[in-house]
Amino acid sequence: MTETVSYRRDGDIGIVCIDNPPVNALSHSVRSGLMAALEQSSADDSRALVVHCAGRTFIAGADITEFGKPPREPILGEVLARLDAHDKLTVAAVHGTALGGGLETALCCHYRCALPSAKVGLPEVKLGLLPGAGGTQRTPRLTGLETALELITSGNPMPAPRAADAGLVDKVIEGDDLLAGALAYTRELLDGEAPLRRASELPLQLDDAGRELLATARERLARRTRGENAPQRIVDCLEAAATLPFDEGLRRERELFMACMEDPQSGALRHMFFAEREAAKVQGLPRDTATQPVDTVGIIGAGTMGGGIAMCFANAGIPVTLIDMSDEGLERGLGLIRKNYATSVKRGKLSQDKADAALALIGGSTDYAALAEVDLVVEAVFESLELKQDVFRQLDGICKPQAILATNTSYQDVNAIAGVTSRPQQVLGMHFFSPANVMKLLEVVRADASSDTILATAMAVAKRIGKVPVLAGVCYGFIGNRMLRHYQREAQLCLIEGATPAQIDGAMERWGMAMGPLAVGDLAGLDIGYKARQGLTTEQKGDPRSYRVPDLLVEQGRLGQKSGQGYYQYDPETRKRSDDPAVMAIVEAAAEELGVERRAISDDEIISRLTTALINEGAHILEEGIAQRPGDIDVVYAYGYGFPRHRGGPMHLADHLGTGAMYETVCRYRDTLSADNWQPSELLAKLAAEGKTFAEWQRER
Ligand code: 3HC
Ligand code: NAI
């Protein structure tokens, strides 16, 4: 047929096999091949057609790399219309994942069988799209509106056995020979004279319960997906499925799919899809760089971070030895871990068996000697360079020579830590984010001497424990926290210059941040920054207007959520925040003390100052080579700091708004706000002058 699609016969059954590695995406040659196979099947004397795939998965969807390019015929809609109308019985045989256009292909077959390990899903919403090849019209006809709504608006895949209960899969094939099982199932259907059951011909109506379901979904999604367009358009499509004849519903789906395709939100989300995969690659390191086995892990410091990190490894089946200074410290840490697992079980997020299995993998000790044989150590003691150096000296004496020694430090110099050991090539940073068992981001910090093998190993281990790894170079705060200082500085300056906490947080949250900057401060505890500032010189602390208010809050016992008040007052039961006039009195007093004249500040100014601060510092980080690529910075911000994915991260945002416009804004802030705070990045200036985006700069390097 084509280089990716073949057709053969097994007796009276035709078999079309798609073989388009790595994930059998519906590229042009697959679409053409499928069309040709359908013609062949119609023309020969076969009685049925089985659609299956070679390699690790069924079709994982449309080929995302073809998006944005001129469409090449046959387009997917034509191929699937032809499949839907096929005059012989068709059966899809699913293994791995049938996603997006892949599931839509399966839905155009008359019947679907799957291995129990297979998953089916419509993840388009995660790319800012909707299923655009009949998925929104056929799914509810098979499952009913409620399941379709959940499947398509969440984008989460469904295991085959559940899909069978929901009506999406007709038969689960036991054993591991899918094709043999699919052929036997097809023969069963032929022998039983099963009808050509087309999903497009099944009835669907909108009753009062359905109307209510859709109305509630619109409201819930508006709250949950803040500003994203695709989820609302999906509800429109489902409404069309239940109120219009199939062909008209399909046309409506096409229109809304095209609207999504042209929406910058989808451009941003597709950028994030590729950026996340790219970030896992270390430039200059071949894909087949050898890695070391990591079968056991030691963690030093059973505090907030150490406990969470221990859970990450245990959840992935890797045994952990947790070390703290004293029995009390260790017991406190282990107790917290047990409590966290119990909460997960209570909330239905984890089964008791899985929690027990993970807990059984976590052992504790107060003796570093217990780490003699571990493959990887992650240090998470207090944030002090001297203490960390002392710990690394001890580890150097105790751990086996090939063990990887990692520090979870947020700010310390990883080179200075590696330098106290006799094996700096075995030392790097593994910077987790709090809560470590939940947050997906992991900054892997490359020190001057870190070997290729340990970098490749750290990236691979990160994936194994379900993290999204990003490589960073050594500097104060690495990628994420270094940029955050500038973002938080502008939040503080907006506050003292005239805004209220609610205005700042509200503006950023409506714009899409998961949580506003001041609310984040209250959550983390204002005392943490306060203590950190005590160790800094006046020069290191930066603009005094940017920390006077939090200093005063802490000095008045307002530590944030943990003390019931910080920038806000917190309800002890619900933790809901409310405005507190006492805070505004503090802000006004600080402004007066520092000679700041308060003025009205617009939401637009807040958003512009905070996001431009991130972009300018991101550009500095790129020109210094601290981050490998602009997309890596975007991944850090989306996964570590709640930056809205549908805006694509700070550097993608800069490209969207234009590097020229961004540079002008930075210069304007330098001239009108503060020359110290706003030093334009040379890279940003260069791209502005050349009229180039960060993405273009990256491609040309
Ligand atoms: N198109 C093009 N390339 C794709 C792709 C797709 N749909 N899905 C994955 N790839 C590529 C990845 O970019 C990666 O390339 P790389 O090795 O060069 O970095 C490679 O395939 C392997 O992907 P992963 O690293 O993600 O492999 P995993 O095994 O971890 O995951 C997967 C496999 C679950 C299939 C995952 O890749 C995935 O979720 N893919 C996206 C699925 C999707 O969103 N489908 C819907 C597309 S939109 C659509 O179908 C529109 C339709 O309704 C009209
Ligand atoms: P923490 O104060 O909650 O825990 C530190 C633990 O280390 C305590 O249990 C303490 O008893 C133990 N400890 C101290 N010295 C020790 C020693 N010599 N040997 C063994 N155990 C020792 O601190 P937290 O918040 O867990 O931070 C730990 C590290 O992680 C710090 O470097 C911090 O910068 C970093 N980090 C913290 C994040 C956070 O949000 N809390 C986020 C990312 C990194």
Side-chain angles (χ1 to χ4, degrees), residues 24-305:
N24 291 317
L26 288 157
S27 318
H28 176 251
S29 78
V30 173
R31 300 195 303 272
S32 312
L34 266 175
M35 209 61 156
L38 287 164
E39 294 308 324
Q40 174 83 36
S41 157
S42 283
D44 69 19
D45 62 353
S46 61
R47 295 173 63 211
L49 181 68
V50 170
V51 180
H52 91 121
C53 291
R56 60 174 156 144
T57 180
F58 193 76
I59 305 166
D63 185 341
I64 309 174
T65 60
E66 288 183 1
F67 288 180
K69 298 181 185 156
R72 285 178 71 193
E73 305 229 320
I75 62 163
L76 186 57
E78 287 166 33
V79 181
L80 295 195
R82 172 72 182 79
L83 177 60
D84 184 280
H86 199 47
D87 49 0
K88 291 177 182 172
L89 186 103
T90 52
V91 175
V94 178
H95 73 292
T97 43
L99 298 179
L103 177 56
E104 291 175 300
T105 304
L107 293 178
C108 289
C109 293
H110 303 130
Y111 297 91
R112 286 153 294 282
C113 62
L115 289 179
S117 56
K119 288 184 182 163
V120 301
L122 293 165
E124 287 86 344
V125 70
K126 297 186 180 179
L127 299 170
L129 298 172
L130 51 88
T136 65
Q137 306 300 300
R138 289 188 179 89
T139 309
R141 286 179 158 81
L142 286 160
T143 66
L145 271 180
E146 193 168 355
T147 305
L149 185 70
E150 166 58 23
L151 188 77
I152 308 175
T153 58
S154 77
N156 295 332
M158 192 186 264
R162 243 195 86 205
D165 292 342
L168 278 177
V169 164
D170 301 293
K171 184 162 180 78
V172 176
I173 306 275
E174 297 301 336
D176 50 15
D177 193 342
L178 174 65
L179 190 56
L183 288 168
Y185 174 55
T186 307
R187 290 215 163 86
E188 229 175 78
L189 290 168
L190 287 172
D191 292 348
E193 295 182 0
L196 306 190
R197 197 197 50 176
R198 297 189 175 95
S200 56
E201 291 170 356
L202 298 175
L204 180 68
Q205 251 138 34
L206 193 62
D207 56 13
D208 285 347
R211 250 182 289 277
E212 169 86 26
L213 179 80
L214 296 181
T216 319
R218 279 189 210 286
E219 278 173 34
R220 184 173 46 85
L221 290 165
R223 258 182 284 121
R224 215 188 62 199
T225 63
R226 258 195 286 247
E228 281 186 56
N229 296 326
Q232 296 294 338
R233 291 179 178 141
I234 288 169
V235 183
D236 291 347
C237 286
L238 288 172
E239 188 174 353
T243 50
L244 300 175
F246 181 79
D247 285 342
E248 278 179 46
L250 208 57
R251 267 198 296 280
R252 182 86 184 112
E253 180 194 82
R254 189 81 207 145
E255 273 166 31
L256 290 168
F257 177 78
M258 291 317 291
C260 285
M261 217 28 159
E262 283 153 21
D263 191 326
Q265 292 190 353
S266 176
L269 285 159
R270 281 181 263 142
H271 159 75
M272 289 307 302
F273 177 85
F274 289 113
E276 180 185 328
R277 281 156 183 80
E278 198 63 18
K281 297 167 196 161
V282 180
Q283 280 168 357
L285 232 65
R287 264 196 184 197
D288 55 356
T289 302
T291 56
Q292 290 182 201
V294 174
D295 298 325
T296 50
V297 173
I299 290 165
I300 308 195
T304 313
M305 293 305 290

Side-chain angles (χ1 to χ4, degrees), residues 368 379 381-395 407 409 411-413 416-418 420 535:
Y368 281 37
E379 166 278 312
V381 303
F382 304 133
E383 185 71 0
S384 142
L385 179 62
E386 293 72 32
L387 175 62
K388 287 181 190 289
Q389 287 177 322
D390 182 48
V391 168
F392 273 73
R393 268 187 214 101
Q394 293 187 56
L395 290 174
T407 172
T409 183
Y411 293 101
Q412 303 303 331
D413 179 346
I417 296 173
V420 301

Side-chain angles (χ1 to χ4, degrees), residues 266-598:
S266 176
L269 285 159
R270 281 181 263 142
H271 159 75
M272 289 307 302
F273 177 85
F274 289 113
E276 180 185 328
R277 281 156 183 80
E278 198 63 18
K281 297 167 196 161
V282 180
Q283 280 168 357
L285 232 65
R287 264 196 184 197
D288 55 356
T289 302
T291 56
Q292 290 182 201
V294 174
D295 298 325
T296 50
V297 173
I299 290 165
I300 308 195
T304 313
M305 293 305 290
I309 298 169
M311 291 174 74
C312 296
F313 285 102
N315 292 344
I318 304 174
V320 176
T321 305
L322 190 58
I323 304 271
D324 209 283
M325 287 186 288
S326 61
D327 287 330
E328 301 81 71
L330 185 61
E331 207 25 66
R332 199 176 347 104
L334 289 170
L336 207 61
I337 293 175
R338 281 192 284 270
K339 204 171 131 210
N340 278 337
Y341 277 122
T343 310
S344 297
V345 171
K346 212 165 111 196
R347 289 195 185 150
K349 289 189 174 162
L350 198 67
S351 70
Q352 187 68 52
D353 285 356
K354 282 199 173 146
D356 290 345
L359 259 175
L361 290 173
I362 305 178
S365 175
T366 51
D367 185 358
Y368 281 37
L371 303 183
E373 291 305 321
V374 297
D375 299 315
L376 165 70
V377 180
V378 182
E379 166 278 312
V381 303
F382 304 133
E383 185 71 0
S384 142
L385 179 62
E386 293 72 32
L387 175 62
K388 287 181 190 289
Q389 287 177 322
D390 182 48
V391 168
F392 273 73
R393 268 187 214 101
Q394 293 187 56
L395 290 174
D396 194 26
I398 287 165
C399 295
K400 61 185 180 187
Q402 69 275 30
I404 299 174
L405 309 181
T407 172
N408 179 47
T409 183
S410 307
Y411 293 101
Q412 303 303 331
D413 179 346
V414 184
N415 286 320
I417 296 173
V420 301
T421 70
S422 63
R423 47 173 125 172
Q425 76 284 356
Q426 294 298 107
V427 179
L428 46 59
M430 286 178 82
H431 183 220
F432 290 78
F433 287 72
S434 183
N437 55 315
V438 177
M439 297 295 286
K440 300 259 288 175
L441 179 65
L442 180 71
E443 284 181 333
V444 173
V445 185
R446 172 188 227 157
D448 290 348
S450 309
S451 76
D452 288 356
T453 310
I454 71 159
L455 285 175
T457 307
M459 299 306 269
V461 165
K463 280 201 129 181
R464 234 170 105 196
I465 62 174
K467 300 292 175 203
V468 177
V470 175
L471 189 75
V474 175
C475 68
Y476 188 75
F478 313 123
I479 299 174
N481 284 344
R482 173 168 160 181
M483 289 167 64
L484 189 69
R485 288 184 75 206
H486 296 261
Y487 171 84
Q488 281 174 336
R489 179 199 68 223
E490 287 309 307
Q492 289 296 334
L493 292 179
C494 286
L495 180 65
I496 202 163
E497 285 170 20
T500 65
Q503 190 197 354
I504 295 170
D505 287 337
M508 294 315 293
E509 287 165 5
R510 281 188 297 277
W511 184 79
M513 292 300 288
M515 205 187 232
L518 303 176
V520 167
D522 273 357
L523 181 67
L526 301 180
D527 51 324
I528 294 184
Y530 183 84
K531 280 192 207 126
R533 280 192 294 279
Q534 305 311 303
L536 299 179
T537 61
T538 310
E539 201 195 343
Q540 283 171 325
K541 283 201 265 188
D543 190 335
R545 297 171 303 161
S546 70
Y547 56 83
R548 188 62 190 139
V549 172
D551 274 3
L552 288 171
L553 290 173
V554 172
E555 282 157 16
Q556 295 193 13
R558 305 186 68 114
L559 309 184
Q561 284 199 18
K562 61 177 140 184
S563 69
Q565 39 181 226
Y567 291 102
Y568 300 95
Q569 192 77 36
Y570 290 90
D571 183 301
E573 298 279 304
T574 60
R575 290 206 195 160
K576 209 168 167 278
R577 70 189 192 212
S578 56
D579 296 346
D580 187 341
V583 173
M584 287 320 294
I586 293 173
V587 172
E588 280 158 18
E592 200 172 319
E593 178 193 324
L594 296 171
V596 179
E597 201 165 318
R598 286 175 58 79

